[in-house]
Amino acid sequence: MKIVVLDGYTLNPGDLTWKDLETLGRCTVYDRTPAELTVERANGAEIVLTNKTVLSADIIGRLEQLQYIGVLATGYNIVDVEAARKRGIPVANVPTYGTESVAQMVFAHLLNLSQHVAHHAETVRAGRWSACPDFCYWDTPLIELQGLTMGIIGLGRIGRAVARLARAFGMKVIAYDVTTPSPLPEGCKMMELDDIFRRADVVSLHCPLTPQTDCLVNKERLALMKPTAFLINTSRGPLIDEQALAEALNDGKIAGAGLDVVVTEPPVPDNPLLKAKNCYITPHIAWATRAARKRLLQVSVQNIATFLDGRPQNVVNGK
Ligand code: NAI
């Protein structure tokens, strides 16, 4: 069995091991694969694993030996799953591996916006505290989360984990979802979408990117937010109209933003959010704690093992 990993680097930059995968066949792992080399590298493999390398209908059609596609992620829009299905090739993904890590990142951003630990630590290192006439100083408003209202949009796996952490900080929790989950997380109140923007001190996005959620955070909704409110996005960049958010931040219409995702990744140098006021961007790393990547790799290997046993799991293109 020949196994090719087209772009293994972000999953395993060297701190995990491919050895469990190697027990299942002859493995070749590429860090990254440019589009023009996909067919050449995947040719002859029965099993192909991809994270973000596109497997279009045309590419799938040219891989004669291909029997299985594994996506090293949850989102599988980079694979033409229908073309694979027509050829009887199962496409399997990893539906959940990073819920707690992503929820933790929401609070990493929120605590950064609330107390600016890195900024204050850097100024202390630069000598500010040693030269300070008082026993303390701070450069930004310092904000206590207890009693504030967390507004969650998309109360699925990650949204619920965020609700739980918010409650642990003593926050009130309000949420909007297209379906009302049952049971509701303790202390969580469902509201209309616009009411979340009006009432929340923190709006955190956890819905998937769909035609309905594209630009869900637009100029009009940003205008509903309190001038003291923060926006956190660890979901998908296109949920936000980036120009409108940059203007809202620069004009002081909202107090700050913490973003792990942007519309185009990596961001184009003139993305207006890169220089927007009180806007903190991390490079799509909420998923990437070692614990979460280890789980992702384990489930990807299990997916192949179950396929080889004739009872494939996590298949996204079944009949
Ligand atoms: P999930 O499928 O468990 O939850 C999504 C929730 O959004 C569901 O409750 C669904 O009903 C709701 N929803 C769907 N359409 C909606 C709409 N129009 N308005 C409001 N709610 C809507 O997904 P999970 O695991 O919680 O992940 C959420 C998102 O987080 C993913 O779609 C993905 O984009 C993002 N993500 C980001 C990562 C990162 O590294 N930054 C890692 C993993 C996921």
Side-chain angles (χ1 to χ4, degrees):
M1 190 63 59
K2 183 176 168 192
I3 302 173
V4 168
V5 181
L6 290 168
D7 50 357
Y9 184 79
T10 53
L11 169 58
N12 178 14
D15 58 350
L16 300 177
T17 170
W18 297 105
K19 75 174 170 18
D20 289 345
L21 186 65
E22 284 159 1
T23 63
L24 300 175
R26 278 180 298 118
C27 288
T28 308
V29 180
Y30 295 99
D31 281 349
R32 349 184 139 70
T33 293
E36 63 275 17
L37 291 183
T38 306
V39 171
E40 185 185 318
R41 289 182 173 179
N43 212 2
E46 286 90 1
I47 293 178
V48 170
L49 302 185
T50 174
N51 188 331
K52 297 287 175 284
T53 305
V54 171
L55 294 177
S56 61
D58 172 52
I59 290 173
I60 291 169
R62 289 156 69 189
L63 300 174
E64 285 176 16
Q65 310 299 319
L66 188 60
Q67 293 178 19
Y68 172 95
I69 297 171
V71 180
L72 300 167
T74 306
Y76 50 84
N77 53 305
I78 41 116
V79 179
D80 191 323
V81 293
E82 188 49 28
R85 195 186 63 78
K86 280 191 192 140
R87 271 208 32 213
I89 298 169
V91 178
N93 74 338
V94 183
T96 170
Y97 62 91
T99 301
E100 300 303 328
S101 290
V102 179
Q104 182 180 312
M105 183 57 118
V106 171
F107 281 83
H109 272 289
L110 183 51
L111 293 171
N112 171 53
L113 288 162
S114 312
Q115 281 156 318
H116 295 269
V117 171
H119 166 81
H120 288 104
E122 275 159 23
T123 57
V124 168
R125 191 179 276 262
R128 277 272 301 284
W129 198 12
S130 304
C132 183
D134 302 308
F135 80 96
C136 69
Y137 70 93
W138 60 90
D139 290 336
T140 59
L142 301 175
I143 294 154
E144 185 175 82
L145 295 181
Q146 164 146 279
L148 298 188
T149 298
M150 166 68 83
I152 296 172
I153 297 174
L155 200 58
R157 283 178 293 249
I158 297 171
R160 297 164 78 92
V162 169
R164 184 168 38 76
L165 294 178
R167 293 274 297 163
F169 273 97
M171 300 179 79
K172 299 180 190 108
V173 180
I174 57 176
Y176 169 78
D177 198 301
V178 279
T179 60
T180 301
S182 169
L184 265 186
E186 209 190 320
C188 176
K189 214 168 150 194
M190 300 305 285
M191 291 201 178
E192 289 305 317
L193 184 56
D194 286 351
D195 286 334
I196 301 284
F197 284 89
R198 275 189 202 102
R199 296 167 78 148
D201 298 297
V202 182
V203 174
S204 193
L205 306 178
H206 301 291
C207 51
L209 176 61
T210 64
Q212 290 72 43
T213 61
D214 197 356
C215 274
L216 180 139
V217 183
N218 54 21
K219 192 175 175 186
E220 291 69 35
R221 293 218 169 92
L222 286 162
L224 299 175
M225 290 176 74
K226 302 177 187 179
T228 50
F230 297 135
L231 176 68
I232 313 278
N233 187 11
T234 57
S235 188
R236 286 291 178 263
L239 297 180
I240 297 177
D241 175 340
E242 294 187 328
Q243 187 59 44
L245 176 58
E247 283 167 19
L249 288 163
N250 292 334
D251 297 346
K253 297 267 167 53
I254 71 168
L259 312 172
D260 189 51
V261 286
V262 291
V263 169
T264 306
E265 297 176 355
V268 289
D270 62 351
N271 182 317
L273 292 171
L274 291 173
K275 295 204 170 101
K277 196 166 130 193
N278 223 13
C279 184
Y280 296 87
I281 305 177
T282 47
H284 203 146
I285 52 172
W287 68 284
T289 63
R290 186 170 185 277
R293 285 184 292 108
K294 197 170 167 198
R295 269 192 299 275
L296 176 52
L297 185 49
Q298 276 165 351
V299 176
S300 300
V301 171
Q302 280 162 15
N303 283 351
I304 300 173
T306 56
F307 163 71
L308 294 174
D309 278 355
R311 41 178 189 87
Q313 66 177 21
N314 295 327
V315 173
V316 297
N317 64 339
K319 271 139 219 119

